[in-house]
Amino acid sequence: MTVAADERIAHVGTARRLLIRPELGAVVGLVVVFVFFAAQSPVFRSPAGIANWLDPAATLGIMAVAVALLMIGGEFDLSAGVLTGTSGLILVTLATRFGFNVWLAMLAGLVVALAVGFANGLIVTRTRLPSFIVTLGTFLMLQGVNLGVTKAITGTVQVSGLRRAEGFEGASALLAGTVAVGGTSFRVAILWWILVTAVATWVLVRSKAGNWIFAVGGNEQAARAVGVPAARTKIALFMTTAFAAWLVGSILALRYTSVQANIGIGQEFIYIIAAVIGGCLLTGGYGSAVGAAIGAVIFGMADKGIVFLGWDADWFTFFLGAMLLLATLANRLVRRYAEQVRH
Amino acid sequence: MSAGPLLETRGIGKTFGSVLALREVSMSVAAGQVVCVLGDNGAGKSTLIKILAGVHRHDAGAYLVDGEEVRLTSPRDALDRGIATVYQDLAMIPLMSVWRNFFLGSEPRKGLAFDVARARRVAREELRAMGIDIRDVDQPVGTLSGGERQSVAIARAVYFGARVLILDEPTSALGVKQAGVVLRYLARARDRGLGVVFITHNPHHAYPVGDRFLLLNRGTAVGEYGKDDITAQELTALMAGGAELEELAHELRRE
């Protein structure tokens, strides 16, 4: 029978195979956006310019990659943005108001962040409620806690003065420093972002856990039926997102040495958008970490490129919406192709 | 190979709240034997296989594996005992490649990593050994036909050392030709010495391949027959509820 079926199926060429890579849309977008800005702004294409737009790409990229893994696993985390604020606030508050060493304060922030991720995962897997709702709940709760606690301790909506805390120099060099490459200084966050992307990609395509992530996002019941620990996989993914939020929160807190209590609000959608531009399906089961990282670069380019061209920064959201629409349209075509059933 | 049944139920039953989904069902399957479980929708077929597969816990009667009473805690537990289930509609994950699906939940390791090269090679070899001609193991399962998907799932269960293969309506959504392909792989698994529990509502698919036939209706067994005890016509008649079918034929007759 398959012989007969074969004759009716056109040969799947290498070109077609490449076309259905999840990153394809993002790569095309990357080239288009780069050419657009680089053609008009010499600063944009200079090493200093590149260092400039890679910086926002890095902190966004760390989050987008973690969120991409979670989305491939079939879930959302709306609390990820505000959790970067929570982690940063814990770090600065403990180090400046309670005399903690910076490293110890960071550890405390990590513990809290992982606990929030664990709670998100546990509630989602136990109740089977949509993660969109569950994490919307934790998002609002954390937003309240961030403001309430900060106001109660400092009387204002920010904590500052991290520079004077013990252990600041070392932690700052590790997470918020710069690296000189050919006379241009790049933020060290870029290295962390590349590391996170590399590890995430390895996990996704070369580890057992990666197979499970695709499976729980693609069809949770089927995955469970063949023995995949679906709940554990999902909880681990929520904790990974929380870990990324802690890393980004710490990077930003060390860089600015102060944290606003409302930081990170609204960022959660940017992470999701970057992941979707990178080829993640909103329905789960498909996507790529590299794609999400590229999605973040597109954002960084547009964010800074608009400034380099001297445009009004308001145009950024227009660009954001247009990219999102184009990316989801491209994704839908991919899904149609992949799910096409031939009886 | 022991002569006793690999898997056996004695007066097994299950209730969901106030609903008696299954009661007093006894059956067994031995190595190299195909037991067909037949019944209309709502007859209790799904409940029975979910108990056998470790998805549900029975709350009456006894479930025996290799002659020993067991209470399975999860599908994983059932798999570890050599009981593999291929479900009708959730056998595979459409967006994942054939080789990823093939090894899902039992990925070969190479140090910390998933041995991707080996997974690809073994999947290709195993499918070929079962006579399944998959064009490319890298293609997403969603691009396979329904029959091919079921066949891949069967090959997978056989490779992972299943001793009992439970097939939930593997042919019901398929055309005649595709159903024949699946039945052929089912027979091949039987020839390799597996016990097969074949759930279906189609007696025409069950009869050619089955050794024993268990009929369920409204949650309980209404008959068990060996192949010599019954003809295909009788089986069909029993399935449809003989009298009802005659009545229907009468009703539908042209005036």
Side-chain angles (χ1 to χ4, degrees), chain A residues 36-252:
Chain A
F36 177 78
F37 286 114
Q40 302 179 65
S41 162
V43 188
F44 185 86
R45 55 177 192 264
S46 70
I50 292 170
N52 193 298
W53 51 253
L54 275 183
D55 177 35
T59 45
L60 168 60
I62 292 171
M63 291 307 298
V65 166
V67 165
L69 293 191
L70 181 67
M71 283 177 68
I72 295 169
E75 304 292 345
F76 291 103
D77 187 354
L78 298 184
S79 69
V82 77
L83 191 58
T84 62
T86 309
S87 312
L89 286 166
I90 291 171
L91 162 58
V92 182
T93 307
L94 289 181
T96 61
R97 313 281 151 155
F98 296 91
F100 276 51
N101 180 297
V102 168
W103 296 101
L104 198 63
M106 275 172 62
L107 186 66
L110 177 62
V111 171
V112 172
L114 290 180
V116 171
F118 180 77
N120 277 337
L122 195 69
I123 296 169
V124 167
T125 52
R126 282 287 160 86
T127 63
R128 310 264 164 105
L129 285 170
S131 52
F132 196 88
I133 294 300
V134 172
T135 59
L136 182 61
T138 39
F139 161 53
L140 293 170
M141 284 163 71
L142 286 176
Q143 186 182 349
V145 168
N146 284 2
L147 273 164
V149 174
T150 308
K151 271 188 184 166
I153 292 177
T154 67
T156 65
V157 290
Q158 72 159 355
V159 279
S160 51
L162 189 61
R163 195 179 299 281
R164 291 185 300 275
E166 191 191 334
F168 172 78
E169 296 302 327
S172 179
L174 184 68
L175 293 178
T178 54
V179 185
V181 179
T184 311
S185 61
F186 287 84
R187 289 281 187 182
V188 75
I190 296 166
L191 292 179
W192 286 104
W193 164 51
I194 292 168
L195 181 70
V196 165
T197 308
V199 171
T201 301
W202 184 85
V203 167
L204 215 45
V205 301
R206 283 288 180 274
S207 85
K208 215 170 149 125
N211 222 28
W212 295 351
I213 293 169
F214 281 113
V216 295
N219 185 340
E220 192 178 345
Q221 266 183 300
R224 204 177 285 129
V226 293
V228 172
R232 256 202 295 149
T233 305
K234 288 197 167 179
I235 292 173
L237 285 172
F238 277 105
M239 291 176 77
T240 303
T241 309
F243 174 85
W246 165 79
L247 182 59
V248 170
S250 301
I251 288 171
L252 295 177

Side-chain angles (χ1 to χ4, degrees), chain B residues 4-226:
Chain B
L6 293 169
L7 183 152
E8 188 179 359
T9 69
R10 290 183 190 151
I12 214 160
K14 174 78 186 171
T15 53
F16 293 104
S18 60
V19 180
L20 258 170
L22 199 69
R23 64 198 148 91
E24 291 287 319
V25 173
S26 301
M27 59 160 291
S28 71
V29 58
Q33 194 183 33
V34 178
V35 175
C36 300
V37 178
L38 294 121
D40 211 342
N41 296 337
K45 303 189 303 276
S46 304
T47 310
L48 177 63
I49 62 157
K50 279 182 176 159
I51 292 172
L52 297 180
V55 177
H56 291 329
R57 251 60 66 205
H58 57 284
D59 41 34
Y63 180 12
L64 295 88
V65 176
D66 297 319
E68 263 177 60
E69 194 166 346
V70 294
R71 285 192 79 80
L72 300 180
T73 54
S74 67
R76 181 85 250 174
D77 189 10
L79 276 173
D80 290 342
R81 293 170 193 272
I83 303 162
T85 310
V86 175
Y87 293 96
Q88 175 190 4
D89 47 355
L90 45 74
M92 293 274 152
I93 293 163
L95 286 165
M96 289 171 76
S97 65
V98 172
W99 63 269
R100 278 191 181 273
N101 267 287
F102 196 93
F103 283 97
L104 184 59
S106 314
E107 294 83 358
R109 297 272 284 272
K110 188 177 181 183
L112 273 172
F114 173 14
D115 193 345
V116 170
R118 192 172 143 222
R120 264 206 195 91
R121 180 170 45 84
V122 174
R124 197 176 298 123
E125 285 168 5
E126 284 300 311
L127 292 175
R128 206 169 290 151
M130 285 284 283
I132 304 164
D133 177 24
I134 295 286
R135 293 170 293 278
D136 171 10
V137 291
D138 277 312
Q139 67 183 320
V141 157
T143 61
L144 300 181
S145 71
E148 284 174 322
R149 264 192 255 190
Q150 292 287 342
S151 307
V152 171
I154 294 171
R156 174 183 201 279
V158 171
Y159 173 73
F160 283 106
R163 297 180 302 140
V164 180
L165 192 59
I166 302 170
L167 301 170
D168 177 21
E169 305 261 8
T171 57
S172 66
L174 303 180
V176 179
K177 251 191 182 163
Q178 292 274 319
V181 171
V182 172
L183 291 176
R184 203 166 300 137
Y185 296 132
L186 190 160
R188 203 168 292 192
R190 174 201 63 199
D191 296 340
R192 282 181 155 200
L194 276 82
V196 179
V197 180
F198 175 27
I199 286 96
T200 180
H201 59 248
N202 191 333
H204 303 293
H205 291 162
Y207 195 77
V209 76
D211 296 308
R212 297 195 67 77
F213 306 93
L214 173 73
L215 270 88
L216 295 182
N217 190 19
R218 299 173 70 87
T220 193
V222 291
E224 199 193 349
Y225 307 90

Side-chain angles (χ1 to χ4, degrees), chain A residues 249-319:
Chain A
S250 301
I251 288 171
L252 295 177
L254 287 162
R255 182 183 297 178
Y256 301 117
T257 70
S258 69
V259 180
Q260 300 285 330
N262 65 352
I263 196 174
I265 296 167
Q267 290 294 304
E268 58 284 337
F269 280 113
I270 311 270
Y271 309 151
I272 293 171
I273 293 167
V276 170
I277 289 174
C280 286
L281 290 178
L282 286 164
T283 42
Y286 192 78
S288 120
V290 173
I294 296 173
V297 178
I298 295 177
F299 267 79
M301 283 181 177
D303 189 15
K304 298 293 177 184
I306 286 170
V307 177
F308 287 153
L309 293 189
W311 291 2
D312 194 331
D314 296 343
W315 284 99
F316 180 66
T317 53
F318 174 84
F319 166 84

Side-chain angles (χ1 to χ4, degrees), chain A residues 16-36:
Chain A
R16 186 104 192 249
R17 189 88 55 74
L18 277 176
L19 276 175
I20 63 161
R21 294 288 312 158
E23 302 91 354
L24 182 88
V27 171
V28 172
L30 182 81
V31 172
V32 170
V33 173
F34 179 81
V35 169
F36 177 78

